[in-house]
Amino acid sequence: QDAAQVMLDAVAPRDALLAKLHHRSAMRSEEVRLRDTVAKRREEMRRASAQLEKAEAEALQALHQSRATSQKLAMMDINLTELEAAKKCAAAARDFKEAARVASEIKRLGAEREEMVEVQSKLEQLHGKLQADVTSLSAAAEEAGQQLKEAEKAGASVRIDQLQRAHSAAMEGMTKAAATEDFEEADRLNKEALAIEAEIQVLGGTLTKPSGGG
């Protein structure tokens, strides 16, 4: 029984070391996976923002074109009203040649107006579609931003766990080095611990960011 206990005592540290190494390997794999996820979410956010920006620009351009066309139509209506009055005056004055010329101008301008009304209708439809695209893409960009924040928080959480373990190891090593008066090593480990604390503080800011909204 004593021999068996000795064997167990010998195996236990090895098993503990293997478990520790396995845990570290798993944590590193998880950190790499989360880092890749953050990169993917960041790219999705970039694409969504670019698509939204393009749609907003196109919607604004369509709106400007629609307003410009509306102004042209308003001017055409004024011109047509004036031409109708001029035609009546010419006819009343028996200046039929002038009345015919004005009537021809009215016909030409009326055809041009009909084409412009069609253009105006298409521009209004296009603007409506683009506005719907903007609404949809805005929601997609917001969702992409939310997913990016969640991925960053998950990555920060794993990294903080690793850093806390490293900080504990550094502090333990510093205490031992100082006890054996290896002050150079103690100073190195103290600086390492301080650097880890600073990184943990930065990552802690990522964890406290609001999840929703901009």
Side-chain angles (χ1 to χ4, degrees), residues 3-186:
Q5 186 61 47
V6 169
M7 185 176 295
L8 288 173
D9 291 342
V11 170
R14 185 196 67 181
D15 289 345
L17 177 59
L18 288 174
K20 188 175 182 180
L21 291 173
H22 177 73
H23 177 76
R24 286 181 179 177
S25 177
M27 290 293 287
R28 278 195 296 269
S29 297
E30 179 66 3
E31 185 179 13
V32 169
R33 186 188 69 78
L34 289 170
R35 200 160 47 230
D36 289 343
T37 299
V38 168
K40 180 181 177 182
R41 298 301 183 218
R42 189 167 285 126
E43 175 60 19
E44 289 173 352
M45 178 65 181
R46 186 197 65 76
R47 285 201 304 266
S49 297
Q51 290 172 346
L52 175 59
E53 184 177 349
K54 181 182 177 183
E56 287 175 335
E58 290 176 346
L60 184 60
Q61 183 181 20
L63 179 61
H64 287 164
Q65 290 176 338
S66 178
R67 286 176 175 174
T69 304
S70 293
Q71 290 176 351
K72 288 179 181 178
L73 283 170
M75 290 301 300
M76 279 184 174
D77 288 340
I78 293 173
N79 290 339
L80 284 168
T81 300
E82 292 174 349
L83 287 170
E84 285 289 347
K87 182 181 70 173
K88 288 180 180 179
C89 286
R94 296 182 181 179
D95 187 353
F96 300 116
K97 185 177 180 180
E98 175 63 13
R101 186 194 68 79
V102 174
S104 178
E105 178 65 13
I106 289 173
K107 185 177 180 179
R108 183 195 65 79
L109 195 59
E112 187 177 330
R113 185 185 184 282
E114 287 181 5
E115 292 178 0
M116 194 160 291
V117 167
E118 187 176 348
V119 170
Q120 170 71 355
S121 177
K122 289 180 179 179
L123 283 171
E124 288 177 350
Q125 290 175 13
L126 175 61
H127 180 253
K129 177 185 178 300
L130 289 171
Q131 278 298 106
D133 289 345
V134 167
T135 301
S136 175
L137 289 169
S138 178
E142 185 175 352
E143 175 64 18
Q146 173 68 17
Q147 291 180 353
L148 173 58
K149 287 178 182 178
E150 290 175 357
E152 286 176 338
K153 285 185 177 183
S157 180
V158 169
R159 179 61 178 161
I160 286 174
D161 184 64
Q162 290 180 329
L163 288 171
Q164 287 173 337
R165 292 172 185 273
H167 183 266
S168 296
M171 292 298 291
E172 184 179 349
M174 181 191 70
T175 301
K176 290 180 179 179
T180 58
E181 297 190 358
D182 187 352
F183 298 122
E184 184 176 344
E185 177 66 5

